[in-house]
Amino acid sequence: MTITKDSFLPFLMFNKPIQYNKHITLYPVTMNDVLLFQTLSRSITVRKNSVFHEKSLIKMTYLEFLTYAYMNEELEAQYAIYGLSQYLILAIQLLKLCCQTTDIAIDRQTGNIVINDEILTSEIFDDLRRIIIIQNDIDFDIDEFLNYDTEQRLLKAENDLNRDKITGNTEDYIDSLVIALHVTEEQIMNMTVRKFWRYVKRFRLHENYTILKTGECSGMVSFKEPIKYWMISLEEEDRYEHLKTDEDALRSKIG
């Protein structure tokens, strides 16, 4: 199975579930569970290979890393990642949510995680992790490596630039979309998380385009660059591209 946004586009466009194999099907999370999802998804978005310094941890698969970190409060304290020692449990809960199943547990004899009678290998977990990230449009690239200190400086600089911008929480965005699209809260609840945020971004583009185009047509304002049409792609340019490498390149360096 090729796991990319492009290969899954037929499923993503209309919020269809993605069948991974005969035992496992992944469903897009809806806004009804958005707050739970935001909490659980932290477990699959640790930038393991840039945050942790030990080669032994970098060499681990992500599932091996979560298993190693489970109940490891010393590791959690050392790297100041709140809740890290419970991320394995959060990941299992996330799989329950996305697979819409309760048939998932840790086999006490073998220590294996079993989901719908399927043993969750590191390879399968990596695949499911990728699908969940793509299916729910989580802003995280599994394959990239960005130096942690560099990333923190870039994020700080970005936050400083956006300090004066008006921001809102999820409820504020829900309220706004209800008004903007003339939909009900119940309809919002049934939207997938991915589509909800796409609608928010699209509406923002539409509003900006309308304002700028109105100003341009009035003759009172002119712009050096053409006004971007509101139906353009929502994919944003990667501002950090020159600072990244991929995981395979990193692994080859550490041997």
Side-chain angles (χ1 to χ4, degrees):
M1 176 181 286
T2 303
I3 303 176
T4 64
K5 283 186 179 181
D6 289 340
S7 64
F8 285 157
L9 189 58
F11 301 94
L12 299 175
M13 282 194 302
F14 298 108
N15 308 311
K16 295 179 181 179
I18 297 170
Q19 184 173 0
Y20 177 72
N21 59 27
K22 65 179 181 179
H23 295 292
I24 302 173
T25 299
L26 291 159
Y27 297 82
V29 177
T30 64
M31 289 298 293
N32 187 52
D33 294 309
V34 65
L35 297 182
L36 174 62
F37 177 70
Q38 288 172 350
T39 297
L40 299 181
S41 61
R42 290 182 300 166
S43 64
I44 62 169
T45 56
V46 177
R47 207 176 289 282
K48 174 175 75 72
N49 294 341
S50 59
V51 173
F52 298 90
H53 311 308
E54 296 88 340
K55 288 185 179 180
S56 59
L57 292 179
I58 296 174
K59 290 179 179 180
M60 288 180 183
T61 65
Y62 200 86
L63 182 57
E64 289 171 342
F65 162 70
L66 290 181
T67 303
Y68 175 80
Y70 178 56
M71 299 298 288
N72 192 336
E73 295 180 359
E74 183 179 344
L75 184 69
E76 178 179 320
Q78 179 183 353
Y79 286 94
I81 301 177
Y82 177 75
L84 177 63
S85 61
Q86 296 299 313
Y87 274 14
L88 177 63
I89 302 302
L90 295 188
I92 293 173
Q93 293 297 323
L94 180 63
L95 289 172
K96 284 185 179 181
L97 176 64
C98 295
C99 296
Q100 297 186 5
T101 181
T102 56
D103 189 9
I104 178 171
I106 299 177
D107 187 312
R108 294 186 177 180
Q109 292 184 335
T110 63
N112 292 325
I113 298 173
V114 181
I115 176 170
N116 295 336
D117 298 322
E118 177 92 44
I119 294 177
L120 201 64
T121 64
S122 288
E123 292 74 17
I124 292 176
F125 183 84
D126 283 344
D127 286 347
L128 299 184
R129 181 178 172 226
R130 287 178 184 274
I131 294 173
I132 290 171
I133 287 172
I134 292 172
Q135 192 177 38
N136 298 285
D137 208 18
I138 298 175
D139 184 17
F140 184 83
D141 185 346
I142 291 176
D143 297 315
E144 75 185 16
F145 175 83
L146 180 61
N147 178 272
Y148 180 75
D149 293 333
T150 301
E151 181 185 31
Q152 293 308 304
R153 288 196 297 270
L154 290 169
L155 289 174
K156 182 180 183 303
E158 183 177 358
N159 289 335
D160 289 342
L161 288 173
N162 295 331
R163 188 183 309 169
D164 297 329
K165 291 186 178 180
I166 298 173
T167 58
N169 59 28
T170 302
E171 184 178 14
D172 294 321
Y173 283 110
I174 291 172
D175 294 344
S176 301
L177 208 60
V178 165
I179 295 171
L181 300 186
H182 307 289
V183 295
T184 65
E185 290 181 353
E186 184 176 0
Q187 288 174 303
I188 296 286
M189 284 174 57
N190 292 322
M191 282 183 188
T192 62
V193 171
R194 177 179 179 273
K195 279 295 186 180
F196 173 82
W197 290 113
R198 283 182 64 85
Y199 291 145
V200 168
K201 292 176 182 177
R202 184 69 66 192
F203 184 76
R204 183 182 295 158
L205 280 177
H206 180 268
E207 289 289 280
N208 289 342
Y209 174 80
T210 301
I211 293 170
L212 295 177
K213 201 65 178 177
T214 300
E216 184 180 60
C217 291
S218 71
M220 302 291 290
V221 182
S222 62
F223 302 97
K224 293 181 179 179
E225 301 291 336
I227 299 171
K228 292 183 180 179
Y229 193 49
W230 66 277
M231 289 186 183
I232 61 172
S233 171
L234 292 177
E235 297 294 329
E236 298 179 2
E237 293 183 1
D238 192 344
R239 292 162 297 171
Y240 306 152
E241 182 65 32
H242 63 293
L243 297 168
K244 296 175 181 176
T245 184
D246 60 38
E247 186 173 0
D248 290 337
L250 174 69
R251 288 178 180 275
S252 68
K253 290 177 182 179
I254 64 175

